[in-house]
Amino acid sequence: MSIEQIISVITNNGVSIGLLLYFVYRDNKFMNTLNTTLTTLRNTTESIKKMLEKRV
């Protein structure tokens, strides 16, 4: 294997790994935001439910 081929393999794999890490980071950030939103929504619905139960 020549030096040029080794450099080409490292470069191509480096780009693939970089893209993989980017998508993992982006999905993790999105899931954290989604988790926060769903927790807030759940707490809000529980509060509304308690308020409605007190009225009845």
Side-chain angles (χ1 to χ4, degrees):
M1 210 178 220
S2 71
I3 302 269
E4 292 173 4
Q5 289 175 335
I6 293 173
I7 291 173
S8 175
V9 168
I10 291 172
T11 303
N12 291 338
N13 289 332
V15 170
S16 299
I17 291 171
L19 283 173
L20 180 64
L21 290 175
Y22 167 73
F23 285 119
V24 167
Y25 170 75
R26 189 185 71 168
D27 288 344
N28 185 38
K29 185 176 178 183
F30 173 74
M31 290 304 294
N32 286 338
T33 304
L34 185 61
N35 189 25
T36 303
T37 303
L38 291 176
T39 302
T40 303
L41 181 61
R42 186 182 68 211
N43 291 340
T44 303
T45 55
E46 287 175 1
S47 298
I48 292 171
K49 182 181 175 184
K50 287 178 184 178
M51 290 173 62
L52 289 173
E53 287 175 351
K54 287 181 181 179
R55 280 184 138 183
V56 174

